Amino acid sequence: MSKLPSDLSLATLSIHQDDHLARVVDIAPPLTVSTNFEYPPADKLILARDRKISEDSGDDLIYSRFTTNVVQRAEAVLSGIFGAGAYPVTYHNGLAAFTAALFFFNPKKLAIGDGYHGCHSVAEIVSRLNGLRVIPLDSDEIDSTTLVHVETPINPTGYAIDLRKYAEIAHARGAKLLVDATFAPPPLQDPFAFGADMVMHSATKYFGGHSDLLAGVLVTKDADVQRALRGDRSILGTGMGNLEAWLLLRSMRTLSVRVRAQSASAEKIVRWLADNVERLPALTKVHHSSLQTEAFVAEQLAGGHSPTFSFEVTSAEVARALPDRLKLFHHATSLGGVESLIEWRAVTDPHVQLTLLRVSVGLEDPDDLIADLEQGLLAA
Ligand SMILES: *Cc1c(COP(=O)(O)O)cnc(C)c1O
């Protein structure tokens, strides 16, 4: 195929940005398993001493701990999804991506707020190794040795956090801002437009979208940072395996249609729940960025709200019983798949109230999902 035009949209690039990396005539990329690749002809060989494998191993096929054709294709698609000037690096899961960011910035302090509990657990392990100090997001101690980590929209409520505010604080004090944007992938929000220095996603969630792979991604606006991250990855061995990379590539073809539809359904369901709190005695409160009124929210979530939200019920007993009464929501952790999920969040998160249920909206008809929630909540 010939060279792509320069002004294509996310949906188009998700399908074509890796065309130039196809090595066979197959329309569907092959799932390959090789750990090693034949060297080029003698006159094209580059010696290790001239190559600096530790600084860049993203371009050539040598050994699969460095990269593979399918990983290269997945990263090409991600660069299309994140837009011009964005350099993605993939990992075998979201927490591996977060760990890679901590290793790369090597901060003395990590300013971190509420959010995914696993990131806090990674910070504890790194503290054990090098004395990293974990401080609150709104700490006065943020300085040039600090990495500020903001998750938005935030797990489990789906509320948006004002990125511009934290970017200003971080940059005024010489700190860097890392944003976990897992809950609102492209095309919903672009954290770089609000001052993020690096963006991470658990690609297990919306990029994967089918509850069948683990993956993570870090995105930087600096090609040198991408090279350094790939170098670290090639040594730490934190890249995706063959099957995961292949599943991720397959999944990202449909990212924009899936995420737009899930976001619109979530907004509709949240609206219905919020309008029916009085009529449904078991329901006490609904949490989601679509219910926030601050001006920054609509600006930041310009492409739509997260397809994940939470609500509260009258008691822990009701929260325990409700998932089993629903017919269209599986009771399970995680989010982002085509099938809707509900989770009594206290089962996996030690820090949330016992009355909270988290909902990940899938691709079912939202009216069917509303009817199911209605019968479940009325019976509760
Ligand atoms: C799931 C999740 C993670 C961790 O990702 P894994 O792919 O499970 O390692 C990190 N942050 C958020 C917000 C998540 O939802």
Side-chain angles (χ1 to χ4, degrees):
M1 280 173 101
S2 47
K3 203 168 176 305
L4 296 176
S6 62
D7 54 351
L8 299 173
S9 72
L10 184 162
T12 308
L13 292 173
S14 301
I15 292 167
H16 291 291
Q17 184 78 330
D18 61 320
D19 283 349
H20 67 288
L21 292 168
R23 295 183 301 169
V24 290
V25 295
D26 305 26
I27 300 304
L31 169 58
T32 58
V33 295
S34 194
T35 52
N36 42 358
F37 306 93
E38 182 144 345
Y39 285 137
D43 60 331
K44 298 231 164 56
L45 285 172
I46 302 170
L47 295 184
R49 66 173 80 153
D50 302 323
R51 170 190 291 280
K52 296 206 178 135
I53 283 178
S54 63
E55 283 174 22
D56 183 12
S57 41
D59 295 334
D60 300 323
L61 294 177
I62 298 171
Y63 185 51
S64 68
R65 199 180 64 237
F66 306 161
T67 196
T68 64
N69 178 246
V70 184
V71 167
Q72 289 175 333
R73 293 184 71 162
E75 289 182 347
V77 167
L78 283 163
S79 70
I81 287 171
F82 285 99
Y87 299 93
V89 183
T90 52
Y91 295 89
H92 58 47
N93 58 60
L95 288 185
F98 181 68
T99 307
L102 284 186
F103 281 21
F104 173 75
F105 288 113
N106 194 19
K108 298 254 183 300
K109 301 176 207 167
L110 176 71
I112 184 169
D114 291 339
Y116 187 71
H117 53 89
C119 293
H120 291 257
S121 303
V122 169
E124 271 173 42
I125 293 172
V126 174
S127 299
R128 210 160 72 204
L129 297 174
N130 74 354
L132 172 75
R133 276 189 52 224
V134 176
I135 60 175
L137 191 52
D138 290 300
S139 168
D140 293 333
E141 291 184 58
I142 292 171
D143 60 19
S144 63
T145 69
T146 308
L147 178 64
V148 178
H149 178 69
V150 174
E151 181 177 313
T152 186
I154 201 163
N155 182 48
T157 54
Y159 285 131
I161 309 282
D162 188 351
L163 281 179
R164 210 175 258 141
K165 172 182 151 189
Y166 288 101
E168 273 166 22
I169 293 170
H171 296 155
R173 303 187 197 172
K176 296 283 189 214
L177 177 64
L178 172 65
V179 176
D180 183 341
T182 299
F183 269 45
L188 303 182
Q189 71 173 357
D190 175 15
F192 287 115
F194 301 89
D197 295 296
M198 190 179 280
V199 174
M200 72 163 265
H201 286 267
S202 167
T204 308
K205 313 297 167 51
Y206 292 102
F207 290 93
H210 296 73
S211 310
D212 58 7
L213 68 99
L214 290 172
V217 59
L218 290 180
V219 190
T220 159
K221 288 275 177 169
D222 183 337
D224 290 336
V225 173
Q226 182 193 44
R227 254 191 295 282
L229 289 170
R230 281 176 169 171
D232 286 359
R233 181 184 66 182
S234 72
I235 303 301
L236 295 169
T238 44
M240 287 183 291
N242 294 305
L243 178 61
E244 284 70 26
W246 184 84
L247 286 168
L248 179 64
L249 180 59
R250 184 283 322 261
S251 299
M252 289 191 299
R253 306 298 192 200
T254 55
L255 176 76
S256 76
V257 274
R258 280 189 286 107
V259 168
R260 281 185 213 278
Q262 286 169 285
S263 169
S265 291
E267 201 171 334
K268 183 171 189 182
I269 295 166
V270 165
R271 183 76 266 147
W272 181 84
L273 285 169
D275 287 345
N276 284 275
V277 173
E278 312 260 283
R279 200 170 62 78
L280 301 166
L283 180 65
T284 57
K285 197 166 179 16
V286 188
H287 302 285
H288 192 228
S289 58
S290 64
L291 303 173
Q292 283 176 277
T293 52
E294 300 102 302
F296 80 87
V297 179
E299 213 188 323
Q300 211 168 277
L301 289 161
H305 296 276
S306 177
T308 299
F309 67 92
S310 289
F311 63 85
E312 287 176 61
V313 291
T314 40
S315 70
E317 288 66 44
V318 171
R320 180 194 286 273
L322 182 65
D324 291 345
R325 293 186 201 274
L326 300 177
K327 298 174 175 44
L328 298 178
F329 294 80
H330 295 291
H331 188 200
T333 196
S334 197
L335 56 117
V338 296
E339 55 289 298
S340 291
L341 306 177
I342 190 163
E343 183 186 24
W344 187 24
R345 189 63 188 154
V347 174
T348 52
D349 187 338
H351 306 293
V352 294
Q353 57 275 44
L354 297 177
T355 50
L356 189 120
L357 290 145
R358 190 182 75 182
V359 176
S360 166
V361 177
L363 281 175
E364 301 91 340
D365 188 307
D367 293 328
D368 291 339
L369 297 175
I370 287 172
D372 195 29
L373 286 168
E374 182 171 37
Q375 68 77 23
L377 283 162
L378 284 173

